[in-house]
């Protein structure tokens, strides 16, 4: 197998991200080429970039490039290819049978299957709209959605919004994200900025054990609710919440969130202020019991 030196890989990875964020149809040819890279990191980011350009570029060549990535040897490439294909809606209907095979594969990673399932739903829904004029209405204002509106809003928010309401929701989410970012004033040893001493200790415990994590990364939809996990461990498919406050409203929210995790069969590790003196030992003990 060919290998790429680290410097070149870093450059091409950055380029793939830039192209994906460019909203420029001229980015397509270069991204198509990058999707064939020997580097799985570059292929993954190129697939992600192609997904971001859905609705901007011609669908056929993008779908054609993404389709074989569903069989890539690296699971994250398969995951991002599936996500990207979902963005192309009805134009990607030809890949539905491969998505079904991927989902049915008992050896496939759970996080890949989740993306495959979501992509399949989007493609089928968009195909239904195109083929049978199935009507979807905006959750906020009730207007009838075009197929592209449905795919776009469902991909971003897992809920149907017209373009006008989509922009409103987007701004609301962005303002909320900004508020959260301003609250991250504590820096862990690995450079992550967090909101509390307890979260800092969790970061440092995971880093010390060499466990990859995502911190406060994005919303996830559970049972119709948008939640924001403190930590997600992709290698273990485990969520971690540090419950650091003691107010009545906070505890009500905590119980609701714990219930959502349980109802959706998600594995959750709960940590509390009293765990701080032995955070690493307590966290690893709970993680071992999750395996």
């Amino acid at each position: 197998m060919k290998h790429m030196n680290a410097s070149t890989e870093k450059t091409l990875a950055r380029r793939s991200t830039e192209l994906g964020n460019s909203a420029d149809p001229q980015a397509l040819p270069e991204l198509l080429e990058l999707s064939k890279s020997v580097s799985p990191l570059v292929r993954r980011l190129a697939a992600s970039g192609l997904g971001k350009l859905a609705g901007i570029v011609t669908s056929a060549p993008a779908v054609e490039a993404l389709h074989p990535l569903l069989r890539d040897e690296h699971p994250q490439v398969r995951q991002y290819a599936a996500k990207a294909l979902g963005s192309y809606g009805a134009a990607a209907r030809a890949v539905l049978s491969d998505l079904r095979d991927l989902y049915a594969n008992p050896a496939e990673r759970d996080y890949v299957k989740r993306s495959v399932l979501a992509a399949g739903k989007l493609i089928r829904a968009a195909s239904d709209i195109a083929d049978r004029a199935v009507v979807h209405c905006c959750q906020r204002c009730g207007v009838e959605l075009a197929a592209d509106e449905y795919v776009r809003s469902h991909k971003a928010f897992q809920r149907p919004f017209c373009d006008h309401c989509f922009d409103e929701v987007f701004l609301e989410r962005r303002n909320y994200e900004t508020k959260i970012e301003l609250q991250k004033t504590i820096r862990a040893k690995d450079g992550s900025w967090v909101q509390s001493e307890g979260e800092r200790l969790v970061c440092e415990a995971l880093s010390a054990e060499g466990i990859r994590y995502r911190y406060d990364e994005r919303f996830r939809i559970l049972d119709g609710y948008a939640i924001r996990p403190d930590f997600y461990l992709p290698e273990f498919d485990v969520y971690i919440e540090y419950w650091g406050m003691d107010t009545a409203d906070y505890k009500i929210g905590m119980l609701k969130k714990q219930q959502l995790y349980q109802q959706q069969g998600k594995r959750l590790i709960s940590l509390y202020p009293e765990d701080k003196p032995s955070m690493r030992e307590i966290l690893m003990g709970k993680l071992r019991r999750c395996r």
Side-chain angles (χ1 to χ4, degrees):
M1 178 182 293
K2 294 180 179 178
H3 293 282
M4 181 179 290
N5 70 56
S7 176
T8 301
E9 182 180 59
K10 187 176 180 180
T11 299
L12 293 180
R14 188 186 306 117
R15 181 61 179 162
S16 298
T17 301
E18 289 172 352
L19 291 168
N21 292 331
S22 69
D24 183 357
Q26 300 302 318
L28 179 62
E30 193 172 346
L31 272 177
L32 294 178
E33 196 60 35
L34 288 166
S35 71
K36 303 172 188 173
S37 169
V38 297
S39 160
L41 171 64
V42 176
R43 293 198 301 277
R44 173 169 67 82
L45 293 174
S48 175
L50 288 170
K52 292 175 181 176
L53 294 181
I56 299 172
V57 299
T58 305
S59 298
V63 171
E64 187 178 342
L66 289 165
H67 195 170
L69 296 182
L70 292 176
R71 298 186 293 277
D72 196 280
E73 62 181 329
H74 290 269
Q76 286 194 327
V77 178
R78 298 195 295 273
Q79 179 194 20
Y80 277 76
K83 286 183 177 182
L85 285 164
S87 302
Y88 285 90
R93 69 177 73 193
V95 310
L96 279 172
S97 59
D98 284 349
L99 290 176
R100 279 194 290 271
D101 291 343
L102 204 54
Y103 186 77
N105 184 349
E108 186 55 88
R109 307 286 180 90
D110 286 344
Y111 64 86
V112 177
K113 287 189 174 187
R114 284 195 293 275
S115 296
V116 165
L117 181 62
K121 287 180 178 178
L122 284 173
I123 294 169
R124 280 195 299 273
S127 298
D128 284 343
I129 292 173
D131 293 345
R132 292 181 289 170
V134 172
V135 176
H136 290 274
C137 294
C138 176
Q139 184 174 303
R140 278 200 167 186
C141 69
V143 303
E144 188 176 314
L145 301 184
D148 289 348
E149 285 181 311
Y150 177 80
V151 171
R152 179 188 181 216
S153 67
H154 210 277
K155 180 174 184 292
F157 301 120
Q158 293 79 52
R159 297 181 184 185
F161 295 119
C162 66
D163 282 349
H164 176 76
C165 293
F166 180 98
D167 291 341
E168 288 184 347
V169 173
F170 178 82
L171 287 174
E172 290 169 6
R173 292 284 177 90
R174 188 178 65 178
N175 291 340
Y176 179 76
E177 295 277 347
T178 301
K179 179 182 175 183
I180 293 295
E181 290 303 315
L182 291 174
Q183 292 174 347
K184 295 176 182 176
T185 58
I186 300 172
R187 192 173 193 180
K189 290 179 181 176
D190 66 358
S192 300
W193 289 93
V194 297
Q195 300 180 68
S196 70
E197 280 298 312
E199 291 178 346
R200 179 183 66 79
L201 292 171
V202 174
C203 282
E204 292 176 357
L206 293 171
S207 294
E209 295 291 340
I211 297 173
R212 292 188 299 116
Y213 67 87
R214 300 173 187 169
Y215 170 71
D216 194 36
E217 188 174 75
R218 62 178 180 175
F219 287 92
R220 290 175 183 271
I221 301 297
L222 296 180
D223 198 22
Y225 289 85
I227 67 169
R228 190 175 182 126
D230 287 341
F231 296 89
Y232 175 63
L233 311 184
E235 294 172 77
F236 303 93
D237 192 25
V238 167
Y239 298 84
I240 299 174
E241 294 285 358
Y242 175 74
W243 310 107
M245 297 176 67
D246 196 31
T247 65
D249 286 346
Y250 183 83
K251 287 190 172 180
I252 291 171
M254 178 184 76
L255 291 174
K256 179 61 182 175
K257 206 170 177 181
Q258 288 175 329
Q259 184 182 37
L260 287 170
Y261 279 114
Q262 185 177 21
Q263 287 174 345
Q264 296 298 313
K266 305 296 183 185
R267 294 185 295 176
L268 171 66
I269 292 176
S270 288
L271 298 167
Y272 304 92
E274 56 266 32
D275 297 329
K276 287 197 292 186
S278 304
M279 183 64 82
R280 183 172 174 179
E281 293 75 14
I282 292 172
L283 170 55
M284 294 312 299
K286 291 186 176 183
L287 185 56
R288 280 193 290 274
R289 290 195 288 275
C290 283
R291 293 179 181 178

